[in-house]
Amino acid sequence: MAGAIASRMSFSSLKRKQPKTFTVRIVTMDAEMEFNCEVKKQILDEKIYCPPEASVLLASYAVQAKYGDYDPSVHKRGFLAQEELLPKRVINLYQMTPEMWEERITAWYAEHRGRARDEAEMEYLKIAQDLEMYGVNYFAIRNKKGTELLLGVDALGLHIYDPENRLTPKISFPWNEIRNISYSDKEFTIKPLDKKIDVFKFNSSKLRVNKLILQLCIGNHDLFMRRRKADSLEVQQMKAQAREEKARKQMERQRLAREKQMREEAERTRDELERRLLQMKEEATMANEALMRSEETADLLAEKAQITEEEAKLLAQKAAEAEQEMQRIKATAIRTEEEKRLMEQKVLEAEVLALKMAEESERRAKEADQLKQDLQEAREAERRAKQKLLEIATKPTYPPMNPIPAPLPPDIPSFNLIGDSLSFDFKDTDMKRLSMEIEKEKVEYMEKSKHLQEQLNELKTEIEALKLKERETALDILHNENSDRGGSSSKHNTIKKPQAQGRRPICI
């Protein structure tokens, strides 16, 4: 149902200037884009009332259709500053800066990733078609009592509105529950399918308005019928071609997505290899520095060991000389007691000196041994550093990469032209079948709309605290009242009310 409504085009076969209505046909991409732009313009110009939360969602799909997938590196803060995406009424209703609006639009824009331009535009139209004033043509009328009312004609049926409330109809006549529509002079008559319900009559200001209303009713009823009949062979072929084209585009998008993913993975692999190469270079540099430090340490230790060894030899030589001197003194005969005492004192001093020299020599020998051991450890560290450098030099630079993987039936309504009066008759058998189809489509559509409604409610709750109540328009207040009642007064629900209430005379 949503797809059929979204593909409607301008009903322009009337010679006189008139409001727009829609009829079903296969359209080109350019015509569809033009229609989408027209709907967007009517919403921004506030000819079609749109709630704030739905305005943000529609803006996100408009951005997706224009800019493609969201890319943080390209779509930076302020890229929507020059775009007209929200009605001025919505902007003035909240204490929010343009940056805050952009942030909320961008948040939903990022969720639409992967949608093609035509898909985003189709989603825009699917949401827009659920707005209360979408596709409704309004005409000023008077009932039998002379009360001023508005008649709304759209693809669902005829609706009677209060002039101050174009959102919620007072009563609705679905196309499948209307038997006959006719006018005589300025009086217009609507005969319900249920004969127990009274005929509804109203007067318009001019005769040509009645003619226009009847032609709009004929066109919209024809749309209503065509959408519920089997397609002709030509239309089926065109739809099959459209499905094939859509599948081809989908495969092309998937191929491009795979190529993009492979390219991104290749870039990530390249960056990883460059990082590892840089890391290995740093490790090699550190190993070379460690090797140089080890070589310098080994040279210093070798030099110190050599000096210590020379000092030990010198001490040993001095010790030998002291021993020789002691032996020479002992061998010399000292005749006098004083000389003997002096000699004993010298011998004692020589022995102490020899003992000290022996201890120093032993200490120097131990120090030399320790230096030799340190030298060996330094050479072992040098050998390990060279081995690590060799391992780094022989490592593979790049690791192996794995491949990434219908003719019309005879029950068409008849038109009766009698004198100055025109009439339009519908048959009972077709209406009962259409009622069942409408109920089935409603259930399917409600299931699809559940997630979208949750998103809209979440955004509405988020921005409610920033609303300026004194700036609310009459349509905003009416829309909020409808929402508080659960939407039970909208045209989509009014049209489904049991007609048991209609068994009484209609009084408006």
Side-chain angles (χ1 to χ4, degrees):
M1 181 176 182
I5 294 178
S7 62
R8 295 177 292 189
M9 292 299 295
S10 174
F11 182 85
S12 58
S13 60
L14 301 178
K15 294 182 179 180
R16 298 178 181 269
K17 184 179 179 181
Q18 59 186 26
K20 293 183 178 179
T21 185
F22 307 96
T23 185
V24 174
R25 67 172 181 174
I26 305 299
V27 296
T28 63
M29 182 63 69
D30 292 339
E32 187 173 331
M33 290 172 56
E34 181 180 353
F35 174 67
N36 191 21
C37 291
E38 179 64 22
V39 173
K40 178 181 177 182
K41 185 176 184 301
Q42 290 184 4
I43 292 176
L44 294 179
D45 293 344
E46 302 181 25
K47 294 180 180 179
I48 298 178
Y49 174 80
C50 184
E53 60 275 10
S55 299
V56 175
L57 182 58
L58 290 175
S60 67
Y61 279 111
V63 174
Q64 176 71 19
K66 182 174 181 178
Y67 291 96
D69 289 342
Y70 175 68
D71 187 351
S73 61
V74 177
H75 306 121
K76 297 182 179 179
R77 188 180 184 89
F79 78 105
L80 298 178
Q82 304 301 322
E83 298 288 341
E84 185 180 4
L85 299 171
L86 300 172
K88 291 183 174 58
R89 171 186 54 80
V90 174
I91 297 175
N92 296 332
L93 186 58
Y94 294 89
Q95 290 179 320
M96 296 175 61
T97 63
E99 292 75 14
M100 297 171 68
W101 285 115
E102 180 179 324
E103 180 181 354
R104 282 157 177 79
I105 294 174
T106 305
W108 267 350
Y109 169 39
E111 294 182 4
H112 305 330
R113 184 176 184 85
R115 292 184 183 272
R117 179 176 183 177
D118 54 343
E119 292 177 343
E121 292 176 344
M122 187 62 68
E123 290 298 327
Y124 187 101
L125 292 177
K126 286 180 180 179
I127 297 170
Q129 74 175 1
D130 288 335
L131 301 177
E132 289 90 341
M133 295 176 64
Y134 177 85
V136 182
N137 298 290
Y138 296 94
F139 298 91
I141 60 172
R142 293 177 181 269
N143 61 6
K144 293 180 180 180
K145 298 179 180 179
T147 304
E148 293 186 356
L149 300 171
L150 286 178
L151 173 68
V153 184
D154 66 358
L156 299 177
L158 300 178
H159 315 279
I160 309 301
Y161 296 88
D162 188 285
E164 302 299 326
N165 183 0
R166 297 194 177 200
L167 297 181
T168 308
K170 298 169 70 68
I171 189 171
S172 293
F173 299 93
W175 293 122
N176 62 321
E177 296 180 6
I178 298 176
R179 175 187 297 276
N180 177 274
I181 298 175
S182 61
Y183 74 89
S184 177
D185 197 14
K186 296 182 181 181
E187 185 179 67
F188 204 95
T189 304
I190 301 175
K191 295 181 179 180
L193 189 64
D194 190 349
K195 296 181 179 180
K196 296 180 180 180
I197 301 176
D198 291 344
V199 174
F200 180 76
K201 296 183 179 181
F202 60 86
N203 296 320
S204 61
S205 59
K206 298 180 181 179
L207 175 63
R208 65 181 183 88
V209 174
N210 278 344
K211 294 181 180 180
L212 178 57
I213 293 174
L214 182 62
Q215 293 183 48
L216 285 175
C217 291
I218 294 172
N220 279 280
H221 184 268
D222 183 57
L223 165 65
F224 185 84
M225 297 292 293
R226 289 190 183 187
R227 286 169 49 208
R228 288 159 177 78
K229 291 180 181 179
D231 296 329
S232 65
L233 180 61
E234 181 182 0
V235 173
Q236 292 178 4
Q237 292 176 350
M238 296 178 70
K239 287 186 175 180
Q241 292 176 359
R243 287 193 296 268
E244 292 175 358
E245 180 67 15
K246 183 177 181 180
R248 185 189 65 78
K249 290 182 178 180
Q250 182 67 21
M251 293 178 62
E252 180 68 15
R253 285 196 296 270
Q254 292 176 354
R255 183 184 67 80
L256 293 176
R258 286 196 301 269
E259 291 180 355
K260 182 178 180 180
Q261 182 180 3
M262 292 174 62
R263 183 169 62 252
E264 290 176 350
E265 291 180 356
E267 291 176 353
R268 285 195 297 268
T269 303
R270 182 197 62 194
D271 295 340
E272 177 65 18
L273 291 175
E274 290 178 352
R275 186 188 63 80
R276 292 179 58 185
L277 178 60
L278 181 60
Q279 182 180 359
M280 292 173 66
K281 287 181 178 180
E282 292 176 354
E283 291 178 356
T285 302
M286 293 174 63
N288 282 328
E289 293 176 354
L291 177 61
M292 293 176 62
R293 287 195 298 269
S294 298
E295 291 176 350
E296 292 175 356
T297 304
D299 293 340
L300 290 174
L301 290 174
E303 184 179 354
K304 189 173 182 180
Q306 183 180 0
I307 294 173
T308 304
E309 189 175 355
E310 291 177 355
E311 290 178 351
K313 289 181 180 180
L314 183 59
L315 288 173
Q317 183 180 356
K318 288 183 178 181
E321 290 177 355
E323 183 69 23
Q324 290 176 3
E325 181 67 19
M326 185 181 63
Q327 292 298 331
R328 187 182 63 81
I329 292 174
K330 286 182 180 181
T332 303
I334 304 300
R335 297 292 186 266
T336 64
E337 194 67 29
E338 183 66 24
E339 289 177 349
K340 184 179 179 180
R341 185 182 63 79
L342 291 173
M343 186 60 67
E344 288 176 354
Q345 185 178 358
K346 287 183 179 180
V347 170
L348 183 58
E349 291 177 356
E351 289 177 353
V352 172
L353 180 60
L355 183 60
K356 289 182 178 180
M357 288 185 176
E359 291 176 355
E360 182 68 17
S361 177
E362 184 179 357
R363 187 182 66 79
R364 293 288 183 175
K366 289 181 180 180
E367 187 177 351
D369 292 339
Q370 182 64 33
L371 290 173
K372 289 180 180 180
Q373 186 178 356
D374 293 342
L375 178 60
Q376 290 178 358
E377 291 178 356
R379 289 177 176 171
E380 180 65 21
E382 178 183 356
R383 182 186 65 79
R384 289 196 300 270
K386 289 182 178 180
Q387 184 177 0
K388 184 176 182 181
L389 181 61
L390 181 60
E391 290 175 355
I392 293 174
T394 56
K395 277 185 181 179
T397 304
Y398 299 95
M401 295 176 60
N402 296 324
I404 303 176
L408 295 175
D411 56 350
I412 291 295
S414 61
F415 301 91
N416 300 323
L417 285 78
I418 304 175
D420 295 334
S421 301
L422 293 178
S423 65
F424 186 59
D425 299 324
F426 308 126
K427 295 187 177 180
D428 298 348
T429 56
D430 192 47
M431 295 303 131
K432 295 180 180 179
R433 177 177 59 81
L434 294 179
S435 298
M436 297 177 63
E437 292 181 2
I438 292 173
E439 291 298 327
K440 181 179 179 181
E441 290 179 357
K442 176 185 176 183
V443 174
E444 295 176 353
Y445 178 74
M446 292 299 293
E447 292 178 354
K448 294 179 182 178
S449 301
K450 184 177 180 180
H451 176 67
L452 176 61
Q453 191 62 39
E454 291 176 354
Q455 285 185 308
L456 294 175
N457 290 337
E458 181 179 351
L459 177 62
K460 181 179 180 180
T461 303
E462 180 182 354
I463 64 177
E464 186 68 23
L466 302 174
K467 180 184 289 188
L468 298 174
K469 296 289 186 178
E470 63 274 12
R471 296 185 181 179
E472 285 187 328
T473 63
L475 292 178
D476 288 324
I477 297 174
L478 291 171
H479 176 77
N480 293 334
E481 291 175 352
N482 290 342
S483 299
D484 294 340
R485 290 194 296 265
S488 60
S489 299
S490 67
K491 69 176 182 180
H492 302 284
N493 290 321
T494 304
I495 204 169
K496 301 297 182 183
K497 287 183 179 179
Q499 294 300 321
Q501 299 176 358
R503 300 184 181 275
R504 300 188 302 271
I506 298 176
C507 298
I508 299 179

